């Protein structure tokens, strides 16, 4: 019996020493994970016979957890967001190991690129003639670059970051609008966004500045039936929510009088405003800022008329005055040295200019092309022609004198004035102003004194501008300086 037991133990020992160890196994499911550019987290099942560890290729755009385990388990892979224009991949190995060897399962990670939009957006920019810098919002989430066509020398690309990029525009002195199309692309040159640029020939657009008020009637002097024309004024308002510059605005009186029965040959109003007085706000482009909804006051004489006449105004508060060096020693203008003078480009009067105190001449404001000076304007825009004056005695052909043309495309705002009793024609084309405002209802109406025409405001505080002064203005209004 002892011999048999000893033999059995010896045989078992010999059998154990000669048996080979079992090699490890490891499998994963799935073997490939595909992420969108947004990133995220996904799970992988691990089936292993032994201890296992995770080995990465060193990529820093993903993480794996846990990095080791035993037997059957699960790992999660977390991938960060991605904005490049090409897919990226990585290889992760799960390695099981024992004394008999190792086994490896390979996990492939794929993150898809950020796909360009199927309908790339379009940004439209309208740039003022003076140029400058404009920041444009960038396509969100994309690395990008800006392609400026080689023949567009007036646009340069400035600073850029993930939020936006800067475009730098040169001054447009061509007298014409100019356009360009810029492309914003990804690193593969695929279109992300188009930028349509229109740079105006002008630094202001129609309706941004409007004529707020015209006081042309004058106030009656105390105990008299006379008025002092020196207290006439015009207010020009910024009708936008941004700071605008009034530098270079032409303030003008129409040549065509609404109370005269004339036929002009040709009738230029569809293309031009005929004017007989031109005074220009001085400045080199950004010297006269006007705050949003703010205004500038332009006076005939910036004097304190209230000091001698209680019903008058103190116009020393004016921003500008128009001043004429009179050729008549008996009719001299008055200058306030503390109030800047308007630049005088032209006036028909040989002494000093006053507005028509019965309100038969329209008024307009305009901005000439960037770079236009007085000498060039006066040389190129003189109004020459004839008109037929219709009278009870007959029709008479007359030469047009002391007048200039202003293209309607330059006009920011225009206001016709008249009274119903003597109205014959509008000073300006109906595209600029289809009606007229008034002070008084008859010619020489004594009730007109001390009144003005004032533009209405809407419920949001903007000035009403439908290009029809009959509805846009309060006629026979209390002047703002009297309130």
């Amino acid at each position: 019996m002892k011999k048999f037991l000893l033999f059995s133990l010896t045989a078992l020992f010999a059998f154990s020493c000669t048996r080979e160890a079992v090699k490890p196994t490891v499998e994963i499911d799935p073997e490939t994970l595909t992420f969108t550019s947004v990133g995220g987290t996904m799970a992988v099942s691990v089936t292993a016979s032994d201890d296992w560890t995770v080995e990465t290729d060193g990529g820093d755009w993903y993480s794996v957890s846990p990095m080791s385990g035993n037997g059957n388990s699960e790992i999660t892979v977390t991938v960060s967001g991605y904005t490049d224009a090409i897919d990226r991949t990585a290889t992760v190995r799960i390695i099981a190991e024992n004394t008999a060897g190792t086994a490896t399962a390979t996990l492939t990670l794929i993150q898809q690129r950020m796909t360009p939009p199927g309908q790339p957006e379009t940004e439209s920019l309208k740039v003022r003639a003076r140029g400058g810098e404009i920041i444009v919002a960038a396509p969100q989430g994309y690395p990008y670059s800006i392609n400026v066509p080689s023949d567009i020398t007036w646009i340069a690309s400035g600073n850029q970051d993930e939020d936006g990029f800067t475009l730098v525009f040169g001054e447009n002195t061509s007298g014409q609008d100019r356009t360009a199309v810029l492309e914003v692309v990804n690193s593969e040159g695929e279109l992300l966004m188009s930028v349509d640029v229109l740079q105006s020939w002008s630094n202001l657009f129609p309706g941004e500045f409007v004529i707020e008020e015209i006081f042309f009637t004058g106030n009656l002097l105390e105990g008299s039936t006379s008025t002092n024309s020196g207290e006439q004024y015009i207010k020009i308002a910024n009708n936008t929510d941004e700071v605008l510059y009034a530098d270079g605005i032409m303030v003008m009186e129409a040549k065509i009088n609404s109370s005269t029965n004339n036929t002009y040959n040709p009738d230029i109003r569809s293309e031009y405003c005929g004017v007989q007085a031109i005074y220009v706000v001085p400045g080199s482009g950004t010297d006269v800022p006007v705050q949003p909804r703010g205004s500038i006051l332009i006076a005939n004489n910036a004097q304190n008329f209230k000091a001698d006449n209680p019903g008058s105004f103190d116009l020393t508060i004016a921003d500008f005055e128009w001043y004429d060096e009179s050729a008549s020693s008996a009719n001299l203008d008055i200058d306030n040295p503390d109030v800047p003078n308007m630049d005088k480009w032209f006036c028909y009067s040989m002494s000093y200019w006053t507005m028509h105190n019965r309100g038969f001449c329209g008024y307009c404001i305009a901005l000439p092309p960037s770079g236009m000076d007085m000498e060039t304007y006066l040389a190129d825009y003189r109004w020459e022609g004839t008109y037929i004056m219709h009278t009870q005695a007959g029709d008479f052909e007359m030469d047009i004198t002391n007048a200039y043309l202003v293209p309607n495309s330059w006009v920011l705002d225009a206001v016709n004035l008249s009274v119903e009793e003597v109205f014959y024609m509008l000073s300006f084309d109906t595209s600029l102003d289809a009606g007229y405002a008034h002070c008084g209802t008859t010619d020489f109406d004594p009730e007109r004194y001390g009144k003005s025409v004032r533009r209405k405001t809407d419920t949001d505080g903007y000035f009403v501008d439908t290009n029809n002064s009959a509805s846009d203005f309060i006629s026979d209004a209390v002047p703002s300086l009297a309130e």
Side-chain angles (χ1 to χ4, degrees):
M1 184 68 179
K2 289 183 179 180
K3 288 183 180 181
F4 176 75
L5 179 60
L6 179 61
F7 173 78
S8 298
L9 291 172
T10 302
L12 179 61
F13 176 77
F15 176 79
S16 298
C17 291
T18 59
R19 188 181 67 173
E20 294 183 1
V22 178
K23 290 184 177 182
T25 60
V26 61
E27 294 179 351
I28 58 173
D29 183 33
E31 296 181 340
T32 301
L33 294 180
T34 301
F35 293 83
T36 67
S37 61
V38 177
T41 298
M42 293 187 186
V44 176
S45 297
V46 179
T47 303
S49 60
D50 293 88
D51 293 340
W52 50 265
T53 59
V54 175
E55 182 181 276
T56 72
D57 60 6
D60 61 358
W61 52 274
Y62 65 92
S63 62
V64 182
S65 178
M67 293 293 287
S68 62
N70 178 267
N72 300 340
S73 187
E74 184 178 86
I75 60 173
T76 58
V77 179
T78 300
V79 171
S80 59
Y82 184 50
T83 58
D84 279 0
I86 57 174
D87 294 351
R88 62 181 174 182
T89 62
T91 300
V92 175
R93 298 197 305 162
I94 296 86
I95 304 170
E97 187 173 10
N98 63 21
T99 57
T102 61
T104 302
T106 301
L107 173 64
T108 301
L109 304 181
I110 301 172
Q111 186 167 26
Q112 297 170 333
R113 70 185 189 134
M114 179 171 277
T115 305
Q119 295 283 334
E121 60 183 295
T122 299
E123 178 78 16
S124 296
L125 298 181
K126 194 169 185 180
V127 184
R128 302 183 192 277
R130 64 173 170 265
E133 296 185 355
I134 293 180
I135 298 176
V136 182
Q140 290 302 298
Y142 294 92
Y144 64 91
S145 60
I146 305 148
N147 291 341
V148 179
S150 58
D151 61 333
I152 304 297
T153 58
W154 45 278
I155 304 177
S157 177
N159 296 331
Q160 67 181 73
D161 56 31
E162 62 182 13
D163 295 321
F165 54 90
T166 301
L167 295 175
V168 184
F169 298 89
E171 184 179 10
N172 182 8
T173 59
S174 68
Q176 303 289 329
D177 290 348
R178 56 188 180 185
T179 61
V181 178
L182 313 183
E183 292 186 341
V184 180
V185 299
N186 63 18
S187 59
E188 294 296 296
E190 296 168 311
L191 184 65
L192 302 175
M193 181 175 81
S194 294
V195 182
D196 293 342
V197 178
L198 184 151
Q199 186 175 25
S200 174
W201 55 265
S202 176
N203 283 323
L204 294 171
F205 305 121
E208 290 189 324
F209 274 107
V210 296
I211 296 173
E212 175 185 346
E213 181 181 11
I214 308 173
F215 178 71
F216 56 86
T217 59
N219 289 305
L220 287 173
L221 299 176
E222 191 171 29
S224 172
T225 58
S226 300
T227 63
N228 190 330
S229 60
E231 52 184 337
Q232 295 173 332
Y233 66 81
I234 298 176
K235 291 180 77 173
I236 299 173
N238 174 356
N239 204 28
T240 76
D241 292 324
E242 63 176 300
V243 175
L244 297 178
Y245 298 92
D247 307 50
I249 290 180
M250 307 164 78
V251 180
M252 297 165 288
E253 183 177 71
K255 175 69 173 179
I256 297 177
N257 186 307
S258 66
S259 68
T260 54
N261 185 11
N262 296 335
T263 300
Y264 289 86
N265 184 25
D267 186 345
I268 49 84
R269 289 176 297 172
S270 64
E271 295 184 59
Y272 298 97
C273 298
V275 296
Q276 61 182 2
I278 308 170
Y279 294 83
V280 178
V281 177
S284 58
T286 56
D287 295 326
V288 188
V290 183
Q291 297 301 312
R293 318 290 183 88
S295 61
I296 57 173
L297 174 64
I298 304 171
N300 185 345
N301 296 137
Q303 306 294 315
N304 183 6
F305 296 95
K306 195 176 184 68
D308 297 320
N309 190 48
S312 293
F313 310 134
D314 180 3
L315 288 175
T316 60
I317 63 171
D319 298 287
F320 298 96
E321 65 176 356
W322 64 83
Y323 173 74
D324 299 289
E325 293 184 1
S326 174
S328 170
S329 60
N331 296 283
L332 297 178
D333 204 355
I334 301 172
D335 185 28
N336 181 345
D338 296 326
V339 176
N341 291 330
M342 298 280 279
D343 291 337
K344 180 180 179 179
W345 280 21
F346 177 77
C347 185
Y348 68 92
S349 174
M350 295 298 292
S351 56
Y352 55 84
W353 173 57
T354 62
M355 292 188 283
H356 195 290
N357 77 355
R358 284 137 65 204
F360 295 161
C361 293
Y363 297 90
C364 64
I365 58 175
L367 191 71
S370 186
M372 173 74 71
D373 57 24
M374 179 180 70
E375 289 75 16
T376 302
Y377 172 76
L378 295 179
D380 294 345
Y381 289 92
R382 188 173 186 85
W383 186 10
E384 297 178 342
T386 61
Y387 65 95
I388 304 298
M389 182 171 62
H390 305 289
T391 71
Q392 292 181 346
D395 295 342
F396 301 92
E397 185 176 58
M398 309 290 289
D399 290 329
I400 296 171
T401 60
N402 295 321
Y404 283 84
L405 298 171
V406 174
N408 289 348
S409 60
W410 297 7
V411 174
L412 303 173
D413 190 32
V415 178
N416 289 305
L417 298 175
S418 193
V419 293
E420 184 177 359
E421 183 183 55
V422 293
F423 173 75
Y424 278 102
M425 64 190 305
L426 297 174
S427 296
F428 308 115
D429 188 68
T430 55
S431 64
L432 300 178
D433 188 8
Y436 64 85
H438 62 85
C439 286
T441 57
T442 62
D443 195 7
F444 294 101
D445 191 339
E447 298 300 317
R448 74 185 186 278
Y449 296 120
K451 296 177 181 177
S452 71
V453 296
R454 295 178 63 177
R455 190 177 291 273
K456 299 173 184 178
T457 57
D458 63 20
T459 55
D460 295 320
Y462 293 97
F463 288 106
V464 176
D465 185 20
T466 67
N467 291 338
N468 187 334
S469 290
S471 56
D472 292 348
F473 276 81
I474 302 171
S475 293
D476 297 307
V478 176
S480 61
L481 295 189
E483 292 180 339

